[in-house]
Structure formats: C-alpha cells, structure tokens
C-alpha cells in the first residue's frame, strides 16, 4: 500500500512539474468555473492528493505507535531521503534537526521560481496596476522602503534582494499566510535562496543555493544539510495595504511584474482558502483549538516568550497592549487591506485589515495608546498613529515607534512551531 501511495504521489508531482514548467494558464477550468491556476494551483491540488495518498505512511504521532505505523514512517523517511538526494546532490541528509518523514517532497527545486533580479516601480507608477486595497509586504531598512505585492509573491514565494545595503530574502508562504523577511548573510557569506518544492507542516521549505541546505520559513532554521541548526536573522516587516504603504512612504519602491516569467498576477490560485477549515496539506501536529486553524494572529516572540494577538480581538479593539518576555508591546490594527487568499481575484477579496507590533517607547518615554473612533491615538499628546507605527497627526507627527518582529500568520502555522504560545485577547 505504501509503494502504491508513493507512486501516486510521484505521478501527481510530475504532472504539477509539467504545469509549472509550461506556465500554461488556459488549460482547464475548475468544476465551479473558478480560474485554474498554473504551477502554484496545480501544486495545491497535487499537495492535497499526495497528502491523502500518503496518509497511511505518515500517520498522526501517538504515544505508542504500532509496528506497522512505525514501519510506514521509516519507509517514508527512506523515500524522502532518496528524493532529497536526487533533487539536491550536495545535500547531506544525515544532518537534520527534524524527522525526514515529516517532509512532503512535492515538486523539484525551482518549479516555483524565486525572483532573483527584482525590478521596481515608483509608488505612482505602481498605482496604474495595483489597487489601493491590495496587500503588500512592507519592509524598510536604512531609509530604503520597499513594497512586495502579494499580487506577485503568491506566484514566486521568494525574492532575493538588497535593501538599504542589506542582502535580504523576502518570503511568503500562501498556505500559512506567512510573510517573513530575513537577512541572508550567514557567517559573513551572502546566500541566495530558492523554493525547494518541499513542505513541512504545510510551510515553505527554502533551499540555499550555496550548499543546498534546507531552511524552514516559519522558524528560520536550517533543518537539513551542512547548516542544520543554524538560524537566519528575522527582520521586521508587515503585510499592509498598498495605499497604507504609499501614504507612509511616498518615495518608496514597489516590486513590479517584470519578473522574467509569465504568471496571471493578481489572480489567487487558492480561492477561498482562508475561509475553509480544510488545509491543502494535512498538519497532524496541529491540536491547539484555542483559535480556529485559519484565524489570523499577530505572532511575536520577545526574549524567548511567544505570543499571538488574536485577529478577532485586534479588529475589535484596534489597540492592545501587553507585556511579552518582560517587554512592553503594543499591537495596532487598521482596516484597509484585503485578503490575498479569498476571491479568485485579490482585488475583489474581503477586507481583513492589517496589524503591527511595536515597543511603546519614544525618546525614553513610555506611551499609552487607545482607540478613538477607530483611530490609533496616544493618550498623552492626542497624536494619531498609523498601523506602521508612525505618528501622522498631532504634536508627535513624524515620529516612528520601534517595530517588533511580527507576522500575520494563520494560527495553525504559528502554533505548530510555537505550541507554548500565549494567546492575547483584550485585557490579557
């Protein structure tokens, strides 16, 4: 049964690779007349079928697994090891911090192409093709402000870039709604990353083109290869609306669609994904029902303590203050940004808003914040602030709060990597 399941998964993966390589966007329509996706959507369908096909080989862990279940997992480890060695000849699979049986070897490396020579438009030029409400990853370093539209990142997942003199990797995993920016210098060496075509816990696994080590996106950890156990440095970034980015950084730059590939940018290959309870790839490790699996959370980790501001609470209260890891943290939420994983076209998706986390201290003074008629206001001066932590009106206009590394992830994705997370609602 295992061999038959494995062959089925490989066959489906081969079909996905063909679609990824051809980039044919007009081959088929889904049964409900939603547009068919190219490589990414085919990968989604393949992942679902492959996960179901190999369910017997990768059962949910139990305290005392049966001999047959353990034998199936061992067979899965061997299959994954062979597949990884085929795809990454330089990869040492004996060096791993995770169980290889938990890796879904779905597609060959670079079937989903990273963007390695990014091109940019001005905010004004980008407004000709990007709607105000569309979500972008906002990242600023040394005064260099850049926006990476999910309009584009959904189809590429990785951008290798240099921002403000810092080599960075901008990443987005649609299955986890996780947008994370890392420094891509390791031991003084600048690395370049690609999409491995592999998943673990439904999360993107990146690969390092220098030595082919595999890196987990959510944790920033090298999980297989010579770098196993190393961690990338996280850098503060947020998903906000294009309008919010443009208002905050009118001189900023926006990743454009001159990527060297042809994709149906602006379409969502994961139609209604964020409103469905089912995941594309099963995540048996997810058992934390404190929140719905796909509820967005503003996830942070400070001084070793992980916490998640529930999106439902943020959208209701707009401002929530908490102490995390001994550090005062304030979370802001604003309406405006739409989901990238709802309607068939991102521009028509529902408004989910955006959020950010900051240290509520300015020039050594602790600030207190509250919501007034939906606006973010500091109590002491009455200044108005935006979701990017900037004072936009009042005595403190022009001031900027220090950002805390955070992510607007799906709850299941954060909780399986950080099961000890404290969920924060209004009033703690």
């Amino acid at each position: 049964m295992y061999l038959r399941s494995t062959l089925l998964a490989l066959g489906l993966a081969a079909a996905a690779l063909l679609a990824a390589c051809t980039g044919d966007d007009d081959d088929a329509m889904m049964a409900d007349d939603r547009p068919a996706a190219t490589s990414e959507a085919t990968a989604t369908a393949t992942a679902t079928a492959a996960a179901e096909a190999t369910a017997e080989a990768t059962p949910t862990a139990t305290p005392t697994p049966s001999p047959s279940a353990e034998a199936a997992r061992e067979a899965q480890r061997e299959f994954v090891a062979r597949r990884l060695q085929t795809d990454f000849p330089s990869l040492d699979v004996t060096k791993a911090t995770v169980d290889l049986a938990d890796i879904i070897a779905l597609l060959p490396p670079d079937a989903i192409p990273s963007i390695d020579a990014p091109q940019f438009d001005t905010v004004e030029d980008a407004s000709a093709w990007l709607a105000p409400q569309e979500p972008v990853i906002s990242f600023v370093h040394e005064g260099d402000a850049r926006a990476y539209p999910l309009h584009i990142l959904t189809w590429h997942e990785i951008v290798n870039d240099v921002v403000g003199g810092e080599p960075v990797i901008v990443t987005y995993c649609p299955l986890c709604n996780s947008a994370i920016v890392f420094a891509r210098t390791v031991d003084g060496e600048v690395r370049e990353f690609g999409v491995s075509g592999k998943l673990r816990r439904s999360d993107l696994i990146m690969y390092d083109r220098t030595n082919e080590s595999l890196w987990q996106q959510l944790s920033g950890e090298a999980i297989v290869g010579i770098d196993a156990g190393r961690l990338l440095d996280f850098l503060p970034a947020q998903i906000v609306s294009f309008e919010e980015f443009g208002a905050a950084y009118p001189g900023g730059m926006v990743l454009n669609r001159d990527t060297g590939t042809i994709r149906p940018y602006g379409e969502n290959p994961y139609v209604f994904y964020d409103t469905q309870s089912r995941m594309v790839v099963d995540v048996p490790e997810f058992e934390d029902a404190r929140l719905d699996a796909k509820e967005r959370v503003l996830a942070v980790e400070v001084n070793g303590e992980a916490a998640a501001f529930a999106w439902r609470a943020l959208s209701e209260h707009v401002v929530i203050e908490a102490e995390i890891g001994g550090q005062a943290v304030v979370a802001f939420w604003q309406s405006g940004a739409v989901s990238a994983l709802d309607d068939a076209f991102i521009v028509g998706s529902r408004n989910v808003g955006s959020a950010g986390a900051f240290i509520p201290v300015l020039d050594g003074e602790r600030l207190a914040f509250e919501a007034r008629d939906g606006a973010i206001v500091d109590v002491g001066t009455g200044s108005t602030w935006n979701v990017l932590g900037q004072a936009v009106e009042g005595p403190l206009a022009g001031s900027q709060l220090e950002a805390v590394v955070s992510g607007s992830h799906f709850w299941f994705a954060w909780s399986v990597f950080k099961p000890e997370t404290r969920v924060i609602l209004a009033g703690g």
Side-chain angles (χ1 to χ4, degrees):
M1 178 63 183
Y2 169 75
L3 178 60
R4 184 172 62 192
S5 299
T6 299
L7 290 174
L8 174 59
L10 287 171
L12 290 167
L17 173 60
L18 179 62
C21 293
T22 60
D24 187 349
D25 303 328
D26 300 315
D27 283 347
M29 296 295 290
M30 297 175 65
D32 58 358
D33 293 328
R34 296 172 192 159
T38 54
S39 59
E40 202 78 4
T42 306
T44 297
T46 303
T48 304
E52 293 172 349
T54 58
E56 182 180 355
T58 56
T60 302
T62 59
T64 55
S66 67
S68 60
E70 185 52 44
R73 283 188 66 79
E74 181 57 33
Q76 176 72 355
R77 288 186 196 100
E78 293 175 0
F79 164 69
V80 171
R82 290 194 302 270
R83 179 67 181 275
L84 292 179
Q85 289 175 323
T86 297
D87 287 347
F88 304 102
S90 299
L91 180 65
D92 185 350
V93 298
T94 66
K95 296 180 179 178
T97 62
V98 302
D99 189 341
L100 295 185
D102 293 332
I103 294 176
I104 296 178
L106 183 63
L107 292 168
D110 300 317
I112 299 171
S114 62
I115 298 175
D116 304 323
Q119 305 296 314
F120 294 86
D121 284 346
T122 63
V123 168
E124 182 179 1
D125 288 344
S127 65
W129 54 268
L130 194 60
Q133 69 270 31
E134 291 198 60
V136 302
I137 301 172
S138 172
F139 176 68
V140 184
H141 184 72
E142 296 295 333
D144 189 351
R146 303 199 182 186
Y148 303 83
L150 300 192
H151 177 114
I152 298 171
L153 263 291
T154 298
W155 298 93
H156 293 277
E157 302 189 0
I158 288 177
V159 180
N160 290 286
D161 201 1
V162 178
V163 182
E166 177 72 45
V168 301
I169 173 176
V170 181
T171 70
Y172 179 64
C173 177
L175 300 185
C176 297
N177 195 52
S178 47
I180 304 174
V181 178
F182 303 97
R184 58 185 177 94
T185 301
V186 181
D187 287 341
E189 180 182 23
V190 176
R191 306 290 180 89
E192 183 178 277
F193 291 83
V195 180
S196 72
K198 316 300 182 280
L199 298 171
R200 176 172 168 265
R201 299 177 177 176
S202 202
D203 180 49
L204 163 68
I205 295 177
M206 312 176 292
Y207 84 96
D208 180 340
R209 292 189 174 123
T210 301
N211 59 37
E212 298 189 334
S213 291
L214 302 183
W215 298 74
Q216 187 83 59
Q217 187 226 22
L218 253 297
S219 65
E221 179 188 8
I223 57 174
V224 184
I226 192 170
D227 284 329
R230 291 182 179 273
L231 295 173
L232 295 174
D233 291 332
F234 288 76
L235 299 173
Q238 292 175 252
I239 297 177
V240 300
S241 72
F242 171 51
E243 182 176 44
E244 288 165 337
F245 175 84
Y249 306 108
M253 304 301 291
V254 183
L255 178 73
N256 68 28
R257 295 176 290 185
D258 184 12
T259 63
T261 62
I262 298 175
R263 294 290 186 274
Y265 296 126
E267 293 185 22
N268 165 30
Y270 306 92
V271 179
F272 303 135
Y273 174 66
D274 64 355
T275 58
Q276 297 172 343
S277 59
R278 185 175 180 179
M279 301 171 195
V280 168
V281 177
D282 188 34
V283 184
E285 298 91 345
F286 175 65
E287 298 177 342
D288 194 330
R290 286 180 290 171
L291 301 172
D292 292 339
K294 290 184 184 172
E295 177 169 349
R296 285 172 170 80
V297 296
L298 183 64
V300 299
E301 185 172 12
V302 180
N303 297 328
E305 183 181 2
F309 294 86
W311 208 260
R312 69 183 76 164
L314 282 171
S315 61
E316 178 183 356
H317 297 283
V318 179
V319 174
I320 298 179
E321 297 185 356
E323 183 175 299
I324 305 171
Q327 172 69 59
V329 174
V330 62
F332 295 159
W333 179 90
Q334 282 186 341
S335 178
V338 299
S339 169
L341 301 166
D342 178 39
D343 193 72
F345 293 89
I346 294 175
V347 69
S349 296
R350 74 188 195 287
N351 186 337
V352 295
S354 52
F358 306 93
I359 296 175
V361 176
L362 187 66
D363 297 330
E365 181 181 353
R366 172 73 156 86
L367 302 183
F369 292 89
E370 65 181 14
R372 295 181 187 173
D373 297 324
I376 302 164
V377 176
D378 74 81
V379 176
T381 72
S383 298
T384 302
W385 300 71
N386 65 17
V387 77
L388 289 156
Q390 298 174 331
V392 293
E393 292 181 3
L396 297 180
S399 300
Q400 172 74 61
L401 296 176
E402 180 182 348
V404 175
V405 172
S406 63
S408 301
H409 314 319
F410 288 142
W411 168 240
F412 84 84
W414 179 254
S415 69
V416 295
F417 286 97
K418 300 289 182 179
E420 73 287 356
T421 291
R422 172 165 60 103
V423 174
I424 297 176
L425 301 169

